[in-house]
Amino acid sequence: MNEHTFFEWKRSERLTAVLALVFCLLGLGLQRLPGVGFSGKLSWGLALVCLVLLGLSRLSRRHRGWKLLLRIAQAGLAVLVLGLSAVEVWVIQIGCRDESAQPADAVIVLGAGVNGTTPSVALQTRIDAAERYLKAHPDIPAVLSGGQGPGEDISEARVMYDALTERGIDPARLILEEQSANTRQNLKNSLPLLEKQGFDSYGGRLAVITNGFHMARVGLLWDLPTELVQVPAKLPWWLDANYYLRESFAIVNDMVLRPLLA
């Protein structure tokens, strides 16, 4: 029997079509909310995946070759989902650690987006965490790391410097690193600045101030035997969820795709 109408489709096809619609609507809704752009794009991507699977399922009725392609697509998708889910669980476990009560010999504060001269929510939370940590440990230097990107009138490091000095942090303790454009460069460019301050990169303790979702990637990219002290900056839950979702993709990009394309 030729199944032309929606209600005559197989149950799995109807479910896939409904999921595609749900993800489309979710993408439209998230697109209107500030700070959760990745979740919106992910929803659109999932809707497209559902439509591709639905199309392959419908075509598989006509030829066995399409059915084989459908099975390959389903198996590949399952492997991808399981792999990303494993990374996501690990990222969340690392991000939940809070070691802000522990002392360190030096500090790195990692930059985040700036809107003109106004810090993004992510950067503002890092500034707040840096203020608390530096006031609790008044005798250690701090590198403020972050260059100037698109839509930013000044560097991320300068925004952090201005905010922290206004809050009473001694400017002599703050070292600006204004050349980096990503996490890898943040860490690479900050290390020699710390070493000039007498920091022992092979035996010292380094406090890293960034958001929890970011901590796992920092640990992967930092390849020295330095003991890292995690000082997480707390985000609102909806932004936290968005960035945690994004982070598993960012780790795959940094640790797999970049080395392969280099």
Side-chain angles (χ1 to χ4, degrees), residues 11 43 210 232:
R11 180 181 300 177
S43 296
T210 186

Side-chain angles (χ1 to χ4, degrees), residues 32-53:
R32 299 174 180 272
L33 299 176
V36 292
F38 177 80
S39 294
K41 293 175 183 177
L42 180 60
S43 296
W44 284 110
L46 291 172
L48 179 60
V49 168
C50 288
L51 290 175
V52 169
L53 292 176

Side-chain angles (χ1 to χ4, degrees), residues 181-182 184-185 250 252-262:
N182 55 51
R184 189 183 298 272
Q185 293 175 7
V252 171
N253 180 62
D254 268 355
M255 307 309 298
V256 179
L257 297 182
R258 283 181 185 269
L260 287 175
L261 298 175

